[in-house]
């Protein structure tokens, strides 16, 4: 199944949009893997009826006509709740749509459900969700990754063909790897962030999940757009064009195995990665190992910048304007403290505390400023590589999905360790695409491109996957 096939059947009237929507809702209502936080059956069926009537009236139909799409629950859709998987926003309903959602609706898609996630997108396991952990559909004893776990499972389990997530440091690519599907983190600014709850503004990017490259390419084309509501968005439309990518003679950078980014890599992940590299060699690519001097600091730098921006962004959740408000308080100070303590989970509070410390005026924000300097060096180092190499390839994560009951309390920063190869992409604002190497729970390979080389990366991955078949 793919988008073209389903949409053509819907446009031809072979199946009605209402019937297809009902079938999808039946899958979602089961929620066997706790992948969904909310859905609105009345809204979905009402929109399906509208689209069926649009077909009957001979009106022009969109590229996603009648297609159900799941959306991570930190992306605004005014006809469904937006909880960010937090008690703080448990009953919050937004009053406007995110730009990416409007782009989908313009092409006659149906927003079918809001997916489970780590609370306020903070985590890599979905264990921080107020609504419980998302189970990996490939092995329900294991996590599905995070923070966009629900969207990954929705696609991997074939409840929907495509879904939206967000990626701040691997939160789309990691879950895609864990659930054996395609996960795409676009170049920063390619998809509007308007209507997306900010975790770390300079790192966040709406990302996409799909089962195949053609669906990913179409979804990318539709969701990407200039947006006057987002001061960081692109100024002109980006062209996602299908092209034959020839690896012959292409120079591809492979990060040296001496890099700290490989620390703790599991043998099976290493084996799958080597298999992927051999496939690239067979396709004619020239693979060269490269040393990254500043990537050593990627995870600490990410932790500093992300936590600092989290501290700033989370200050709006004060128990007064919207969200959870404590019932018992003596004064305004206690209202703030108790509302935030009750409404925000442990991981969110930890990151707020870290960020507040990094931004402390007492030491002139020395740690934060040093983090910004190192971020620039990491970005420049990667940019220099692209002067010589067409692509960079890495493992997506250094591990396979851990068991749900695996304890991490003794090392609360363990979430960051498996995502070092993802983090460098966000720090540099570049694009990254994770694709499976083989079926089932296995390692994945990530293709990294320079800023606005998304089309190259997508077409390269298309050739890689096509060869695998």
């Amino acid at each position: 199944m793919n988008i073209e096939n389903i949409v053509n059947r819907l446009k031809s009237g072979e199946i009605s949009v209402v019937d297809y929507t009902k079938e999808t809702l039946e899958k979602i209502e089961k929620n066997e893997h706790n992948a969904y936080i909310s859905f609105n059956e009345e809204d979905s069926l009402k929109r399906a009826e509208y689209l069926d009537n649009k077909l009957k009236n001979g009106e022009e139909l969109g590229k996603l006509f009648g297609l159900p799409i799941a959306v991570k629950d930190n992306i605004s859709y005014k006809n469904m709740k937006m909880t960010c998987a937090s008690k703080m926003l448990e009953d919050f309903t937004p009053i406007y749509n995110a730009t990416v959602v409007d782009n989908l609706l313009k092409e006659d898609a149906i927003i079918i459900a809001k997916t489970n996630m780590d609370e306020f997108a903070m985590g890599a396991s979905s264990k921080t969700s107020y609504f419980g952990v998302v189970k990996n559909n490939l092995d329900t004893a294991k996590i599905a990754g995070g923070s966009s776990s629900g969207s990954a499972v929705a696609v991997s389990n074939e409840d929907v063909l495509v879904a939206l997530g967000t990626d701040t440091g691997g939160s789309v690519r990691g879950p895609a790897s864990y659930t054996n599907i395609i996960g795409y983190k676009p170049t920063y600014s390619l998809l509007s962030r308007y209507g997306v709850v900010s975790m770390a503004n300079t790192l966040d990017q709406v990302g996409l999940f799909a089962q195949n490259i053609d669906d990913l390419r179409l979804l990318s084309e539709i969701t990407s757009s200039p947006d006057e509501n987002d001061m960081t968005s692109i100024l002109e439309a980006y062209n996602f064009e299908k092209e034959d990518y020839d690896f012959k003679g292409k120079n591809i950078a492979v990060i040296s195995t001496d890099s700290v980014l490989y620390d703790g890599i599991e043998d099976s992940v290493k084996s799958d990665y080597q298999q992927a590299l051999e496939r690239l060699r067979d396709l004619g690519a020239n693979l060269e190992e490269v040393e990254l001097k500043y990537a050593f600091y990627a995870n600490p730098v990410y932790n500093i910048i992300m936590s600092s921006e989290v501290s700033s962004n989370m200050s709006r959740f004060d128990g007064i304007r919207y969200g959870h408000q404590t019932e018992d308080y003596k004064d305004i100070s206690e209202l703030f403290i108790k509302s935030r303590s009750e409404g925000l989970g442990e991981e969110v509070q930890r990151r707020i505390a870290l960020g507040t410390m990094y931004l402390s005026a007492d030491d002139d924000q020395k740690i934060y400023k040093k983090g910004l300097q190192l971020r620039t060096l990491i970005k420049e180092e990667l940019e220099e590589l692209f002067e010589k190499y067409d692509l960079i390839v890495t493992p997506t994560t250094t591990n396979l999905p851990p068991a749900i009951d695996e304890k991490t309390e003794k090392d609360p920063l363990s979430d960051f360790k498996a995502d070092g190869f993802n983090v460098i992409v966000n720090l540099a604002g570049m694009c990254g695409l994770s694709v499976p190497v083989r079926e089932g729970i296995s390692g994945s390979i990530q293709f990294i491109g320079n800023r606005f080389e998304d089309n190259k990366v997508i077409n390269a991955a298309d050739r890689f996957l096509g060869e695998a078949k």
Side-chain angles (χ1 to χ4, degrees):
M1 290 201 306
N2 57 42
I3 291 176
E4 183 180 16
N5 176 272
I6 292 297
V7 169
N8 284 343
R9 292 175 67 192
L10 291 166
K11 286 183 176 180
S12 70
E14 179 184 341
I15 52 177
S16 74
V17 179
V18 167
D19 287 344
Y20 189 61
T21 302
K22 286 180 178 178
E23 289 178 16
T24 306
L25 284 168
E26 285 175 6
K27 298 177 189 176
I28 289 169
E29 286 171 358
K30 293 178 183 177
N31 204 14
E32 297 170 320
H33 307 101
N34 199 32
Y36 305 100
I37 291 177
S38 62
F39 59 92
N40 185 336
E41 184 173 350
E42 181 182 357
D43 173 68
S44 296
L45 292 177
K46 184 178 179 181
R47 180 159 177 80
E49 290 173 4
Y50 160 76
L51 293 174
D52 274 334
N53 287 329
K54 196 173 180 180
L55 174 64
K56 289 176 185 176
N57 295 333
E59 299 177 43
E60 185 177 350
L61 306 177
K63 297 175 182 178
L64 301 176
F65 178 76
L67 189 75
I69 297 179
V71 175
K72 187 176 180 180
D73 204 24
N74 61 344
I75 301 174
S76 181
Y77 175 51
K78 63 184 179 182
N79 293 341
M80 289 183 195
K81 290 194 297 184
M82 181 172 66
T83 70
C84 292
S86 176
K87 181 178 179 180
M88 178 61 76
L89 294 177
E90 185 176 6
D91 297 311
F92 176 73
T93 301
I95 60 174
Y96 65 92
N97 294 331
T99 297
V100 288
V101 167
D102 274 336
N103 290 347
L104 295 174
L105 296 176
K106 287 174 186 175
E107 294 294 341
D108 291 337
I110 296 174
I111 308 302
I112 199 73
K114 303 297 288 295
T115 57
N116 202 353
M117 55 184 280
D118 280 293
E119 185 181 10
F120 282 102
M122 300 183 204
S125 65
S126 85
K127 287 184 180 182
T128 69
S129 172
Y130 177 64
F131 300 98
V133 65
V134 177
K135 300 175 184 177
N136 192 317
N137 60 296
L138 302 179
D139 183 344
T140 55
K142 299 184 182 297
I143 66 169
S147 60
S148 306
S149 45
S151 291
V153 169
V155 173
S156 179
N157 200 48
E158 298 183 355
D159 295 347
V160 292
L161 295 183
V162 291
L164 269 57
T166 59
D167 191 312
T168 307
S171 289
V172 164
R173 291 158 290 160
S177 177
Y178 284 177
T179 58
N180 207 247
I181 58 174
I182 298 168
Y184 167 45
K185 183 267 172 197
T187 294
Y188 184 82
S189 79
L190 206 55
L191 273 66
S192 170
R193 293 182 298 110
Y194 178 73
V196 180
V197 177
S198 293
M199 172 186 162
N201 306 53
T202 69
L203 300 167
D204 294 342
Q205 183 61 73
V206 175
L208 311 176
F209 293 98
Q211 288 275 8
N212 65 75
I213 290 291
D214 285 339
D215 286 355
L216 178 74
R217 187 183 287 108
L218 177 58
L219 190 65
S220 301
E221 173 192 314
I222 290 168
T223 51
S224 171
S225 67
D227 183 9
E228 63 182 13
N229 292 316
D230 179 359
M231 64 182 290
T232 65
S233 78
I234 52 175
L235 300 177
E236 297 179 358
Y238 185 85
N239 182 29
F240 291 90
E241 184 176 353
K242 184 177 177 67
E243 298 172 343
D244 291 331
Y245 188 87
D246 189 355
F247 280 99
K248 290 180 181 178
K250 295 291 194 304
N251 294 320
I252 296 181
V254 178
I255 297 173
S256 169
T257 52
D258 293 333
S259 171
V260 69
L261 297 176
Y262 288 95
D263 282 2
I265 190 169
E266 296 178 3
D267 290 340
S268 57
V269 174
K270 187 186 298 184
S271 174
D272 289 334
Y273 179 53
Q274 291 302 320
Q275 179 184 327
L277 295 182
E278 285 302 317
R279 193 183 300 166
L280 291 174
R281 289 190 183 97
D282 291 342
L283 286 167
N286 176 33
L287 304 185
E288 295 183 20
E289 275 203 357
V290 296
E291 301 283 346
L292 291 181
K293 179 179 179 181
Y294 296 106
F296 177 87
Y297 303 102
N299 278 327
V301 169
Y302 172 78
N303 179 276
I304 291 166
I305 293 172
M306 174 273 299
S307 298
S308 298
E309 295 185 17
V310 163
S311 174
S312 175
N313 282 321
M314 294 303 295
S315 63
R316 73 193 68 178
F317 300 101
D318 54 16
I320 294 179
R321 288 167 283 192
Y322 51 83
H324 173 76
Q325 184 179 96
T326 188
E327 295 181 358
D328 181 24
Y329 59 93
K330 298 175 183 177
D331 52 38
I332 191 70
S333 178
E334 190 174 13
L335 169 62
F336 288 153
I337 293 170
K338 293 185 72 173
S339 294
R340 288 166 66 81
S341 297
E342 294 168 4
L344 301 174
E346 181 180 348
E347 180 64 22
V348 175
Q349 292 184 41
R350 178 185 293 114
R351 297 194 190 196
I352 291 172
L354 279 171
T356 303
M357 178 186 70
Y358 295 143
L359 293 174
S360 172
D362 292 343
D363 65 351
D364 193 34
Q365 301 181 350
K366 287 181 181 177
I367 296 176
Y368 176 62
K369 290 176 180 177
K370 183 61 68 175
L372 292 177
Q373 291 173 340
L374 282 166
R375 179 184 187 173
T376 299
L377 292 173
I378 291 170
K379 176 176 177 289
E380 290 175 347
E381 184 173 47
L382 293 175
E383 288 173 343
E384 286 179 14
L385 283 181
F386 284 115
E387 293 176 6
K388 180 179 179 181
Y389 299 97
D390 293 274
L391 297 165
I392 301 171
V393 295
T394 72
T396 304
T397 62
T398 57
N399 64 353
L400 299 180
I404 290 174
D405 59 4
E406 184 174 310
K407 304 298 183 184
T408 58
E409 290 84 352
K410 292 183 180 179
D411 185 7
L413 299 182
S414 61
D415 266 3
F416 300 106
K417 292 181 178 178
D419 276 329
F421 292 110
N422 294 324
V423 161
I424 57 175
V425 178
N426 295 78
L427 288 172
M430 295 174 177
C431 54
L433 181 64
S434 173
V435 297
V437 175
R438 58 183 175 86
E439 294 183 354
I441 290 180
S442 59
S444 295
I445 185 171
Q446 177 180 207
F447 293 90
I448 300 173
N450 205 349
R451 283 181 56 79
F452 300 112
E453 291 189 342
D454 300 59
N455 199 48
K456 178 200 289 188
V457 166
I458 291 172
N459 287 321
D462 195 1
R463 179 67 192 279
F464 175 85
L465 290 172
E467 186 67 18
K469 295 174 183 177

